[in-house]
Amino acid sequence: MTWLVKAAMALPWLLVLELGLYAGCFVCGIIAAASVTITQGQFAGKCMLYGTVHSNASTLSVQTFSSPSLCYFVSAISVCVAVYCFSITLYWIYTSCVDQEVRRERLWMNVTLVICGVFLFFLLVTGCILRIGRNRLCESIIHIPGISRCEDAQEKNWVSPYHGNRFFSSLHGAETSVWVNFFFWLLIAAAVVIQRRQGSGFRTGGEITDGSPSESEPFFHRPARPQ
Protein backbone atom coordinates (compact mmCIF):
# COMPACT_ATOMS: atom_id res chain seq x y z
CA MET A 1 0.00 0.00 0.00
CA THR A 2 2.92 2.35 0.73
CA TRP A 3 4.34 2.04 -2.77
CA LEU A 4 0.90 2.73 -4.21
CA VAL A 5 0.62 5.96 -2.21
CA LYS A 6 4.11 7.01 -3.32
CA ALA A 7 3.22 6.27 -6.93
CA ALA A 8 0.09 8.42 -6.66
CA MET A 9 2.03 11.28 -5.07
CA ALA A 10 4.54 11.16 -7.91
CA LEU A 11 1.88 11.83 -10.54
CA PRO A 12 0.02 15.06 -11.35
CA TRP A 13 -3.32 15.34 -9.60
CA LEU A 14 -5.26 15.34 -12.88
CA LEU A 15 -3.66 12.05 -13.88
CA VAL A 16 -4.39 10.62 -10.43
CA LEU A 17 -8.02 11.68 -10.88
CA GLU A 18 -8.03 10.05 -14.30
CA LEU A 19 -6.68 6.80 -12.86
CA GLY A 20 -9.36 6.88 -10.16
CA LEU A 21 -11.99 7.23 -12.87
CA TYR A 22 -10.43 4.31 -14.74
CA ALA A 23 -10.79 2.23 -11.59
CA GLY A 24 -14.46 3.20 -11.36
CA CYS A 25 -14.99 2.30 -15.02
CA PHE A 26 -13.36 -1.07 -14.41
CA VAL A 27 -15.77 -1.84 -11.57
CA CYS A 28 -18.78 -0.68 -13.62
CA GLY A 29 -17.73 -2.80 -16.58
CA ILE A 30 -17.40 -5.92 -14.44
CA ILE A 31 -20.78 -5.32 -12.78
CA ALA A 32 -22.54 -4.77 -16.11
CA ALA A 33 -21.05 -7.86 -17.75
CA ALA A 34 -21.73 -10.03 -14.70
CA SER A 35 -25.33 -8.82 -14.38
CA VAL A 36 -26.16 -9.58 -18.01
CA THR A 37 -24.49 -12.98 -17.75
CA ILE A 38 -26.45 -13.82 -14.59
CA THR A 39 -29.70 -12.94 -16.35
CA GLN A 40 -28.81 -15.18 -19.28
CA GLY A 41 -27.99 -17.98 -16.87
CA GLN A 42 -31.43 -17.72 -15.29
CA PHE A 43 -33.05 -18.22 -18.69
CA ALA A 44 -30.96 -21.10 -20.03
CA GLY A 45 -28.55 -18.85 -21.91
CA LYS A 46 -31.29 -16.92 -23.72
CA CYS A 47 -31.29 -13.12 -23.92
CA MET A 48 -34.33 -11.55 -22.26
CA LEU A 49 -33.83 -8.08 -23.72
CA TYR A 50 -36.77 -7.20 -26.01
CA GLY A 51 -38.39 -10.50 -24.97
CA THR A 52 -42.03 -11.09 -24.10
CA VAL A 53 -43.58 -12.98 -21.20
CA HIS A 54 -47.06 -14.42 -20.81
CA SER A 55 -48.94 -16.14 -18.01
CA ASN A 56 -49.43 -19.90 -18.12
CA ALA A 57 -51.92 -20.74 -15.36
CA SER A 58 -50.10 -19.86 -12.12
CA THR A 59 -46.65 -19.64 -13.67
CA LEU A 60 -44.88 -17.29 -16.05
CA SER A 61 -43.49 -18.45 -19.35
CA VAL A 62 -41.26 -16.75 -21.88
CA GLN A 63 -42.91 -16.31 -25.25
CA THR A 64 -40.12 -14.74 -27.29
CA PHE A 65 -36.42 -14.06 -26.80
CA SER A 66 -34.01 -11.78 -28.57
CA SER A 67 -30.85 -13.04 -30.22
CA PRO A 68 -28.19 -14.15 -27.69
CA SER A 69 -25.67 -12.07 -29.64
CA LEU A 70 -27.39 -8.94 -28.31
CA CYS A 71 -26.52 -9.83 -24.72
CA TYR A 72 -23.07 -10.98 -25.83
CA PHE A 73 -22.53 -7.55 -27.40
CA VAL A 74 -23.46 -5.78 -24.15
CA SER A 75 -21.18 -8.05 -22.13
CA ALA A 76 -18.32 -7.76 -24.64
CA ILE A 77 -18.36 -3.95 -24.59
CA SER A 78 -18.37 -3.92 -20.79
CA VAL A 79 -15.50 -6.42 -20.61
CA CYS A 80 -13.43 -4.50 -23.18
CA VAL A 81 -13.84 -1.29 -21.21
CA ALA A 82 -12.90 -3.06 -17.98
CA VAL A 83 -9.80 -4.69 -19.50
CA TYR A 84 -8.59 -1.41 -20.99
CA CYS A 85 -9.11 0.49 -17.73
CA PHE A 86 -7.32 -2.20 -15.72
CA SER A 87 -4.40 -2.26 -18.15
CA ILE A 88 -3.93 1.51 -18.37
CA THR A 89 -4.11 1.86 -14.59
CA LEU A 90 -1.44 -0.81 -14.09
CA TYR A 91 0.72 0.84 -16.75
CA TRP A 92 0.78 4.24 -15.06
CA ILE A 93 1.32 2.76 -11.60
CA TYR A 94 4.22 0.67 -12.91
CA THR A 95 5.70 3.62 -14.82
CA SER A 96 5.55 5.94 -11.82
CA CYS A 97 7.23 3.32 -9.61
CA VAL A 98 9.98 2.21 -12.00
CA ASP A 99 10.86 5.21 -14.14
CA GLN A 100 12.39 8.26 -12.59
CA GLU A 101 10.85 10.46 -15.26
CA VAL A 102 7.24 10.03 -16.33
CA ARG A 103 6.29 11.65 -19.61
CA ARG A 104 2.96 11.88 -21.37
CA GLU A 105 3.23 13.13 -24.90
CA ARG A 106 0.55 15.08 -26.74
CA LEU A 107 0.28 12.27 -29.31
CA TRP A 108 -0.81 9.76 -26.66
CA MET A 109 -3.27 12.26 -25.22
CA ASN A 110 -4.83 12.50 -28.67
CA VAL A 111 -4.98 8.71 -28.84
CA THR A 112 -6.65 8.65 -25.42
CA LEU A 113 -9.26 11.15 -26.61
CA VAL A 114 -10.00 8.95 -29.63
CA ILE A 115 -10.39 5.94 -27.34
CA CYS A 116 -12.70 7.99 -25.11
CA GLY A 117 -14.85 8.83 -28.11
CA VAL A 118 -15.05 5.19 -29.19
CA PHE A 119 -15.97 3.95 -25.72
CA LEU A 120 -18.50 6.74 -25.22
CA PHE A 121 -20.22 5.78 -28.46
CA PHE A 122 -20.40 2.08 -27.63
CA LEU A 123 -21.46 2.73 -24.04
CA LEU A 124 -24.23 5.00 -25.31
CA VAL A 125 -25.42 2.27 -27.67
CA THR A 126 -25.16 -0.33 -24.90
CA GLY A 127 -27.10 1.82 -22.44
CA CYS A 128 -29.87 2.40 -24.97
CA ILE A 129 -30.06 -1.34 -25.73
CA LEU A 130 -30.42 -2.15 -22.04
CA ARG A 131 -32.96 0.61 -21.38
CA ILE A 132 -35.20 -0.06 -24.38
CA GLY A 133 -34.82 -3.84 -24.17
CA ARG A 134 -35.75 -3.92 -20.49
CA ASN A 135 -38.71 -1.59 -21.05
CA ARG A 136 -40.04 -3.81 -23.85
CA LEU A 137 -39.76 -6.82 -21.59
CA CYS A 138 -41.51 -5.05 -18.73
CA GLU A 139 -44.32 -3.85 -20.99
CA SER A 140 -45.28 -7.46 -21.66
CA ILE A 141 -45.02 -8.35 -17.97
CA ILE A 142 -47.21 -5.58 -16.52
CA HIS A 143 -50.08 -6.62 -18.81
CA ILE A 144 -50.27 -9.96 -16.99
CA PRO A 145 -53.13 -10.01 -14.45
CA GLY A 146 -51.91 -9.72 -10.88
CA ILE A 147 -48.65 -7.95 -11.80
CA SER A 148 -48.55 -4.17 -11.56
CA ARG A 149 -44.79 -3.67 -11.54
CA CYS A 150 -42.07 -5.40 -13.51
CA GLU A 151 -40.08 -6.33 -10.41
CA ASP A 152 -43.12 -8.18 -9.03
CA ALA A 153 -42.50 -10.90 -11.62
CA GLN A 154 -39.37 -11.88 -9.71
CA GLU A 155 -41.59 -13.27 -6.95
CA LYS A 156 -43.65 -15.41 -9.33
CA ASN A 157 -43.02 -19.00 -10.36
CA TRP A 158 -41.54 -19.51 -13.81
CA VAL A 159 -41.86 -22.49 -16.12
CA SER A 160 -38.80 -24.74 -15.86
CA PRO A 161 -35.95 -24.39 -16.78
CA TYR A 162 -36.34 -20.63 -16.32
CA HIS A 163 -35.75 -18.86 -13.01
CA GLY A 164 -36.66 -15.19 -13.01
CA ASN A 165 -36.08 -14.41 -9.36
CA ARG A 166 -33.40 -11.80 -10.14
CA PHE A 167 -33.87 -10.83 -13.78
CA PHE A 168 -35.16 -7.29 -13.14
CA SER A 169 -32.54 -6.46 -10.50
CA SER A 170 -29.76 -7.77 -12.73
CA LEU A 171 -30.88 -5.87 -15.83
CA HIS A 172 -31.45 -2.69 -13.82
CA GLY A 173 -28.01 -3.02 -12.24
CA ALA A 174 -26.40 -3.57 -15.64
CA GLU A 175 -28.08 -0.49 -17.08
CA THR A 176 -27.11 1.67 -14.10
CA SER A 177 -23.50 0.50 -14.33
CA VAL A 178 -23.33 1.33 -18.03
CA TRP A 179 -24.65 4.88 -17.54
CA VAL A 180 -22.29 5.49 -14.61
CA ASN A 181 -19.49 4.17 -16.81
CA PHE A 182 -20.56 6.57 -19.55
CA PHE A 183 -20.46 9.51 -17.12
CA PHE A 184 -17.00 8.51 -15.87
CA TRP A 185 -15.69 8.46 -19.45
CA LEU A 186 -17.02 11.97 -19.98
CA LEU A 187 -14.99 13.06 -16.94
CA ILE A 188 -11.92 11.20 -18.26
CA ALA A 189 -12.21 13.01 -21.59
CA ALA A 190 -12.49 16.35 -19.77
CA ALA A 191 -9.42 15.55 -17.63
CA VAL A 192 -7.37 14.60 -20.70
CA VAL A 193 -8.41 17.78 -22.52
CA ILE A 194 -7.31 19.89 -19.55
CA GLN A 195 -3.96 18.08 -19.38
CA ARG A 196 -3.53 18.52 -23.12
CA ARG A 197 -4.10 22.26 -22.86
CA GLN A 198 -1.68 22.55 -19.94
CA GLY A 199 1.09 20.78 -21.80
CA SER A 200 1.94 17.61 -23.66
CA GLY A 201 4.48 16.24 -21.18
CA PHE A 202 5.33 16.19 -17.51
CA ARG A 203 7.94 14.80 -15.22
CA THR A 204 7.38 12.84 -12.06
CA GLY A 205 5.95 15.18 -9.49
CA GLY A 206 3.79 17.03 -11.98
CA GLU A 207 6.39 19.38 -13.48
CA ILE A 208 5.44 20.49 -16.98
CA THR A 209 8.28 19.84 -19.40
CA ASP A 210 7.19 21.34 -22.68
CA GLY A 211 6.50 24.92 -21.72
CA SER A 212 8.11 27.50 -23.95
CA PRO A 213 10.75 29.82 -22.49
CA SER A 214 8.45 32.80 -22.93
CA GLU A 215 6.00 31.30 -20.44
CA SER A 216 8.47 31.74 -17.60
CA GLU A 217 9.56 35.23 -18.59
CA PRO A 218 7.97 38.34 -17.06
CA PHE A 219 5.39 40.23 -19.09
CA PHE A 220 7.40 43.45 -18.99
CA HIS A 221 11.17 43.54 -19.22
CA ARG A 222 12.64 45.64 -16.48
CA PRO A 223 15.14 48.21 -17.65
CA ALA A 224 18.71 47.57 -16.67
CA ARG A 225 19.97 49.56 -13.73
CA PRO A 226 22.56 52.21 -14.56
CA GLN A 227 26.06 51.31 -13.52
Side-chain angles (χ1 to χ4, degrees):
M1 184 62 67
T2 304
W3 63 269
L4 186 60
V5 174
K6 291 182 179 179
M9 293 177 62
L11 297 173
W13 70 271
L14 275 175
L15 183 56
V16 174
L17 173 62
E18 185 181 340
L19 295 182
L21 292 172
Y22 282 137
C25 291
F26 168 77
V27 174
C28 290
I30 294 299
I31 292 176
S35 299
V36 174
T37 303
I38 289 173
T39 304
Q40 283 188 273
Q42 291 179 336
F43 292 92
K46 306 294 180 59
C47 185
M48 286 298 294
L49 295 173
Y50 299 93
T52 56
V53 176
H54 70 279
S55 178
N56 185 9
S58 60
T59 59
L60 298 180
S61 178
V62 181
Q63 188 172 8
T64 60
F65 294 97
S66 61
S67 174
S69 60
L70 190 63
C71 286
Y72 294 152
F73 173 80
V74 173
S75 299
I77 295 300
S78 300
V79 170
C80 288
V81 172
V83 170
Y84 174 81
C85 293
F86 182 76
S87 302
I88 199 69
T89 302
L90 284 185
Y91 167 78
W92 281 114
I93 292 176
Y94 173 81
T95 302
S96 62
C97 292
V98 175
D99 295 345
Q100 295 182 353
E101 181 177 347
V102 179
R103 290 186 59 84
R104 192 178 195 185
E105 302 295 340
R106 181 179 293 269
L107 172 63
W108 295 113
M109 290 188 185
N110 294 336
V111 172
T112 302
L113 288 177
V114 172
I115 294 174
C116 286
V118 172
F119 281 158
L120 283 171
F121 171 76
F122 281 108
L123 287 173
L124 178 62
V125 172
T126 301
C128 291
I129 289 174
L130 287 169
R131 168 62 66 87
I132 299 174
R134 182 172 60 88
N135 288 344
R136 292 282 182 86
L137 174 63
C138 289
E139 286 176 2
S140 67
I141 291 177
I142 60 178
H143 286 91
I144 298 175
I147 298 179
S148 58
R149 299 182 306 169
C150 190
E151 52 266 37
D152 293 341
Q154 297 182 136
E155 302 174 359
K156 302 293 183 178
N157 294 324
W158 292 73
V159 174
S160 181
Y162 308 134
H163 305 280
N165 57 334
R166 292 181 58 188
F167 81 95
F168 180 83
S169 301
S170 297
L171 291 178
H172 183 267
E175 180 190 345
T176 302
S177 299
V178 168
W179 289 122
V180 172
N181 209 339
F182 181 84
F183 176 71
F184 282 169
W185 276 101
L186 287 177
L187 295 181
I188 290 173
V192 174
V193 169
I194 294 174
Q195 293 177 74
R196 187 174 178 272
R197 296 186 65 177
Q198 288 181 348
S200 62
F202 52 78
R203 288 193 177 94
T204 303
E207 179 184 353
I208 303 298
T209 62
D210 66 338
S212 60
S214 60
E215 294 177 355
S216 59
E217 294 178 355
F219 289 103
F220 301 100
H221 293 282
R222 296 181 180 179
R225 294 182 179 180
Q227 299 293 332

